Amino acid sequence: MTGPPTPDIRMYLAQHSLADLPASLQADVPTPALLSQLGRGDIYASSLWMGRPPTRTPMHRDPNPNLFVQLAGQKIVRLLRPDVGRGVYERARLNAGGSGRANMRGEEMMAGAEMQALEGAVWGEQDEAAVGFEAEMSAGDGLYIPLGWWHAVNWWFR
């Protein structure tokens, strides 16, 4: 099938290493100078996450601090302190019939009951225990996400 892309086709590229991009594209995404001043100045990985709206990344935490840079378009990022995020995650996971344990997860966080429970906990009616921070990101904005902080990313104004 050939022809122009259609709006109903979904695309989401996650965790694509910047080192694997063509050199001309790598030059468009230089490492921010701020990163050399944080922690030990080492960089665990640099990844490109790209998609056509609507895209989302369900609530999760990363194994390292994170510098989120919005290259194009807009997103909303919701952040929860480690203790608050763990509680929200465990309650949502239990409500979805899971164990409630906050281990690394796979595809179940992207579809099905767990994804729906987490989406509701983060973007739906929030209980008072789920209070956190929200950042509206536009092209060129950056956000530092500290180690252990839970976060979810969603396309602009669901």
Side-chain angles (χ1 to χ4, degrees), residues 14-69:
Q15 293 181 311
H16 185 83
S17 173
L18 293 183
D20 292 338
L21 292 173
S24 60
L25 291 178
Q26 287 183 39
D28 288 338
V29 212
T31 301
L34 171 68
L35 290 184
S36 64
Q37 300 168 9
L38 297 173
R40 296 183 305 238
D42 58 340
I43 299 174
Y44 171 72
S46 294
S47 301
L48 177 66
W49 298 68
M50 182 174 68
R52 293 177 65 182
T55 59
R56 69 177 182 288
T57 302
M59 187 176 80
H60 68 286
R61 60 186 176 168
D62 295 325
N64 295 290
N66 185 336
L67 179 63
F68 178 97
V69 178

Side-chain angles (χ1 to χ4, degrees), residues 49-158:
W49 298 68
M50 182 174 68
R52 293 177 65 182
T55 59
R56 69 177 182 288
T57 302
M59 187 176 80
H60 68 286
R61 60 186 176 168
D62 295 325
N64 295 290
N66 185 336
L67 179 63
F68 178 97
V69 178
Q70 183 74 25
L71 297 178
Q74 296 93 18
K75 293 261 189 304
I76 295 177
V77 180
R78 289 203 174 154
L79 301 151
L80 299 171
R81 289 189 330 262
D83 57 329
V84 173
R86 177 180 281 280
V88 169
Y89 169 77
E90 290 174 349
R91 285 189 302 278
R93 178 87 187 229
L94 285 171
N95 289 339
S99 70
R101 300 165 106 193
N103 295 333
M104 294 297 285
R105 299 172 331 274
E107 290 185 27
E108 70 275 5
M109 73 181 260
M110 296 300 289
E114 180 179 323
M115 185 273 305
Q116 291 174 350
L118 286 171
E119 287 285 296
V122 174
W123 302 103
E125 288 293 320
Q126 295 179 345
D127 62 48
E128 292 180 20
V131 172
F133 301 92
E134 182 174 288
E136 295 181 3
M137 308 292 293
S138 294
D141 291 341
L143 175 68
Y144 178 72
I145 303 172
L147 177 64
W149 278 60
W150 293 79
H151 52 285
V153 183
N154 219 325
W155 60 284
W156 193 259
F157 297 113
R158 299 166 41 88

